[in-house]
């Protein structure tokens, strides 16, 4: 009986491609937390908006979302920045970003944004931090993190 159990466990591991996390799933599916890492660098309001619409949809579908705002994209992190509203819902990219944050997303500006602009951490919207490159790289390298850059 013990040999049979070992054989079944080995076959389950083999069927999962040698991935113990996948072997634990139902029907051979991997049981991994869904994670989405978004880097937003675009100046175009529509591109920002669509990126954040998709990030909000991923969050609504259960993904952990982390956003890194860099270059022109980091304008969204500024407390005083007011982008235009986008149709058809008449929301701004900043409102979409704030919705993500309300739903638990981590939002940060890249580490080189503040030192290379006239802004300081006090100019950032509450809840937005400054990224630590080593931590961001570690997060990005996780096998279950999907990367989305715009």
């Amino acid at each position: 009986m013990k040999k049979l159990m070992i054989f079944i466990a080995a076959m389950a591991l083999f069927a999962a491609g040698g991935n113990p996390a996948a072997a634990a799933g139902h029907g051979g599916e991997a049981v991994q937390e869904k994670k989405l890492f978004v880097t937003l660098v675009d100046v175009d309001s529509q591109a920002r908006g669509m990126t954040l619409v998709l990030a909000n949809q991923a969050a609504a579908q259960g993904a952990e979302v982390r956003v890194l705002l860099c270059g022109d994209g980091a304008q969204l992190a500024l407390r005083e920045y007011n982008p235009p509203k986008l149709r058809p819902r008449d929301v701004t990219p900043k409102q979409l970003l704030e919705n993500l944050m309300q739903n638990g997303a981590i939002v940060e500006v890249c580490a080189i944004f503040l030192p290379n602009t006239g802004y300081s951490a006090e100019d950032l919207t509450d809840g937005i931090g400054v990224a630590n490159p080593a931590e961001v790289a570690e997060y990005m390298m996780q096998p279950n993190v999907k990367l989305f850059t715009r």
Side-chain angles (χ1 to χ4, degrees), residues 74-84 94 98 113 119-126 128:
Q75 292 173 330
L76 289 174
L78 299 173
R79 185 183 318 276
E80 301 301 321
Y81 181 70
N82 293 307
K94 191 167 185 172
E98 289 167 353
F113 176 70
Y119 300 109
S120 69
E122 290 77 37
D123 295 312
L124 300 177
T125 299
D126 291 340
I128 297 179

Side-chain angles (χ1 to χ4, degrees), residues 17-148:
N19 182 347
H26 300 288
E29 296 175 17
V31 178
Q32 290 187 11
E33 185 179 1
K34 295 184 243 177
K35 296 182 181 184
L36 178 64
F37 181 72
V38 177
T39 57
L40 185 54
V41 299
D42 211 312
V43 69
D44 181 74
S45 193
Q46 289 182 41
R48 289 175 178 177
M50 195 62 227
T51 300
L52 294 168
V53 164
L54 293 173
N56 273 286
Q57 287 297 314
Q61 294 178 31
E64 173 186 297
V65 178
R66 184 170 183 169
V67 179
L68 181 65
L69 303 169
C70 301
D72 291 325
Q75 292 173 330
L76 289 174
L78 299 173
R79 185 183 318 276
E80 301 301 321
Y81 181 70
N82 293 307
K85 289 184 177 181
L86 299 171
R87 287 176 272 181
R89 293 186 47 219
D90 290 326
V91 296
T92 68
K94 191 167 185 172
Q95 289 170 319
L96 292 166
L97 184 66
E98 289 167 353
N99 186 66
L100 268 176
M101 291 169 56
Q102 289 171 0
N103 289 307
I106 296 170
V107 178
E108 301 163 307
V109 294
C110 66
I112 62 174
F113 176 70
L114 295 178
N116 289 286
T117 64
Y119 300 109
S120 69
E122 290 77 37
D123 295 312
L124 300 177
T125 299
D126 291 340
I128 297 179
V130 178
N132 175 308
E135 290 175 13
V136 171
E138 182 179 351
Y139 185 86
M140 289 173 53
M141 298 304 294
Q142 294 177 47
N144 59 325
V145 173
K146 303 273 189 212
L147 304 175
F148 181 39

